[in-house]
Amino acid sequence: MKFIKRVERSLIVSIPIRKDNGEIEIFEGYRVHHSTIRGPGKGGIRFAPGVNLDEVKALATWMTWKTSLLNLPLGGAKGGVCVDPKKLSRNELEKLTRRYTAEIINIIGPDIDIPAPDVNTNAQIMAWMMDTYSMNKGRAIPGVVTGKPIEIGGSVGRESATGMGLYYVIEALCEKLNIDLKSQEIIIQGFGNVGGWIARLLNNHGCKILAVSDISGAIYYEEGLDIEKLLEWRSQGNPLKSFNDNRYKLITNNDLITTQCDILIPAALENQITQENANDIKCKILLEGANGPTTPKADKILIKKGIHVVPDILANAGGVCVSYFEYVQDIRAYFWDLDRINKELKRILLKAFEEVYSVSKERKITLRTAAYILAVSRVAKAIELRGIFP
Ligand code: NAD
């Protein structure tokens, strides 16, 4: 307990950039390794105004449990920069990314810690990170980050991976609960990579998506939203609230969380389901697309209400799973096709799902507690076997 409660190392860096107007601005960045006991660190990089060391430590810790739950030979890490990237030009964003990478260069690398995209970071940012790292080492090292563009060592299927994973897990849970997934009405908070992909996959399956939201607000239509049109609208950089369809009702993000539906999918940020709104939640299943969307107090309320909560470390683990495939492909310099990626993803995720589900049934505990029992036990066993140095 003492060992795993703390992170292995935290690095805080100052990132100076010369802005387009000639002024110098300094940003603060972080990279944290929670655990490298089972393998190199793995975890995303977040660019957001609220990023701070405690948040990054918590996210790094979740990554340890996630890689352990899937039994991947990786640990847990996370990074971030406290910045509002919308206020930077493309040129400034590139400078920020490159200087941040240079500042953390000694604690990342294919056999040390492999970053990936998270909130407000994408394939282009990973390309700049990979280039900065490679330029410093004097050779192309694609295995230093995952979530890269395919042309420079990225993997097919990485972009959709977290959404695919959510889909495989909800399909498996519905089968266990004897629920027909097609007939379920869905609400999704967040319409970025994770929210957008799961919306598309469930919509293609025949589910009705009643409401989605982004930071601008939420839209609701009881007959089901046209997801493909909304995705196209988003891809042009438009906010959801200005989507032009007078049948769609504008609601707040909090209304969205408490509207009646069958499956609620928080896929934006942490701490969205709290003790303030948990009592008003009216879904049957809560599928955690985001990391840490439910606070511990809210979780207790949801348990009392009999809502099936599929925990983040299982539900959204598809992303890290395909990131692992990307890393393996990069270091072996041999690439797989989409069919192989999705088959392997499904195999690994469903194995973890079955393990979690059976522990939860055997011990009469929630899926979250069962997932933690499995994940923490594997890390504890590794600590026990390796012993404590010196
Ligand atoms: P993203 O930046 O692509 O999308 C985030 C979405 O949330 C956007 O639509 C944004 O407008 C919306 N949003 C932001 N703040 C909001 C707020 N206060 N209220 C409502 N909506 C808000 O990010 P993403 O990659 O989709 O990540 C979303 C969540 O999923 C994060 O918690 C992330 O850690 C987690 N996650 C992502 C991946 C991945 O592969 N991308 C994998 C596992 C977990």
Side-chain angles (χ1 to χ4, degrees):
M1 279 286 283
K2 277 186 189 163
F3 203 111
I4 60 176
K5 266 165 99 171
R6 301 183 72 95
V7 301
E8 276 174 17
R9 64 187 64 79
S10 312
L11 181 61
I12 305 177
V13 297
S14 287
I15 309 159
I17 64 161
R18 193 181 298 278
K19 300 190 68 183
D20 296 345
N21 63 9
E23 271 175 30
I24 290 173
E25 196 168 340
I26 317 278
F27 297 93
E28 189 159 284
Y30 313 91
R31 185 74 192 169
V32 171
H33 298 168
H34 169 257
S35 172
T36 55
I37 201 97
R38 302 178 72 254
K42 187 88 197 80
I45 305 267
R46 177 176 290 197
F47 287 175
V51 167
N52 60 70
L53 184 60
D54 275 344
E55 180 185 72
V56 178
K57 280 181 172 177
L59 291 163
T61 310
W62 269 312
M63 288 307 299
T64 303
W65 311 138
K66 221 183 277 188
T67 55
S68 172
L69 184 62
L70 297 197
N71 216 352
L72 305 176
L74 296 167
K78 202 82 179 189
V81 178
C82 179
V83 58
D84 184 353
K86 287 184 195 74
K87 293 193 177 139
L88 299 184
S89 68
R90 182 182 160 95
N91 179 40
E92 291 164 343
L93 189 62
E94 178 174 352
K95 283 185 185 171
L96 178 90
T97 304
R98 288 186 181 277
R99 183 63 188 247
Y100 168 67
T101 309
E103 293 293 342
I104 63 167
I105 206 156
N106 289 327
I107 67 161
I108 59 170
D111 45 11
I112 305 171
D113 169 20
I114 308 120
D118 191 67
V119 176
N120 293 330
T121 56
N122 54 26
Q124 178 58 70
I125 288 174
M126 293 306 115
W128 290 327
M129 289 192 73
M130 177 263 190
D131 184 68
T132 304
Y133 187 84
S134 299
M135 284 295 114
N136 272 275
K137 303 292 173 189
R139 60 194 186 280
I141 307 182
V144 64
V145 287
T146 58
K148 297 177 295 297
I150 299 206
E151 295 83 349
I152 53 168
S155 176
V156 289
R158 173 61 187 89
E159 205 206 303
S160 56
T162 308
M164 274 316 278
L166 283 168
Y167 181 79
Y168 292 142
V169 169
I170 192 67
E171 204 183 21
L173 180 67
C174 284
E175 217 177 290
K176 296 274 185 213
L177 300 176
N178 268 326
I179 291 175
D180 173 29
L181 179 56
K182 264 195 189 67
S183 65
Q184 301 302 292
E185 297 190 327
I186 319 280
I187 289 185
I188 303 170
Q189 184 196 38
F191 202 57
N193 172 292
V194 180
W197 271 103
I198 188 61
R200 167 175 276 159
L201 293 165
L202 289 173
N203 186 53
N204 289 349
H205 187 71
C207 302
K208 207 188 267 180
I209 317 290
L210 297 181
V212 294
S213 70
D214 65 9
I215 196 157
S216 74
I219 49 175
Y220 172 85
Y221 181 42
E222 69 275 12
E223 298 299 323
L225 302 165
D226 186 333
I227 294 300
E228 288 306 321
K229 276 208 182 120
L230 289 172
L231 286 168
E232 201 187 316
W233 179 251
R234 183 199 67 179
S235 72
Q236 295 155 0
N238 299 310
L240 282 177
K241 74 163 185 199
S242 53
F243 185 75
N244 226 343
D245 189 323
N246 52 21
R247 295 170 306 167
Y248 294 4
K249 208 165 89 189
L250 267 181
I251 58 173
T252 64
N253 251 301
N254 201 50
D255 291 341
L256 168 119
I257 286 176
T258 55
T259 298
Q260 173 97 41
C261 64
D262 298 308
I263 304 174
L264 175 64
I265 310 177
L269 292 174
E270 59 269 20
N271 299 334
Q272 297 302 303
I273 296 163
T274 63
Q275 57 182 331
E276 274 79 46
N277 59 18
N279 269 315
D280 301 325
I281 287 183
K282 301 173 194 80
C283 61
K284 287 188 293 208
I285 300 174
L286 184 98
L287 182 66
E288 294 189 334
N291 286 313
T294 312
T295 66
K297 281 184 181 153
D299 204 29
K300 286 204 178 105
I301 299 173
L302 300 179
I303 295 167
K304 268 204 193 130
K305 285 170 72 95
I307 295 174
H308 298 277
V309 179
V310 190
D312 46 8
I313 60 169
L314 172 66
N316 72 30
V320 72
C321 189
V322 177
S323 264
Y324 166 63
F325 299 158
E326 179 175 335
Y327 161 74
V328 168
Q329 293 170 87
D330 285 336
I331 57 177
R332 304 297 299 266
Y334 183 78
F335 286 83
W336 309 354
D337 62 19
L338 185 60
D339 194 43
R340 179 167 176 196
I341 295 275
N342 283 336
K343 267 194 195 134
E344 292 270 318
L345 170 64
K346 192 170 184 179
R347 180 181 64 79
I348 291 180
L349 269 187
L350 290 188
K351 182 166 182 283
F353 172 81
E354 287 298 335
E355 285 170 351
V356 170
Y357 194 81
S358 70
V359 170
S360 97
K361 284 283 146 217
E362 266 163 35
R363 301 210 190 181
K364 299 189 175 51
I365 51 177
T366 63
L367 293 174
R368 193 188 308 279
T369 307
Y372 273 94
I373 287 176
L374 287 160
V376 175
S377 306
R378 278 193 192 119
V379 174
K381 186 73 192 171
I383 295 170
E384 203 180 291
L385 288 168
R386 283 183 58 168
I388 292 176
F389 175 84

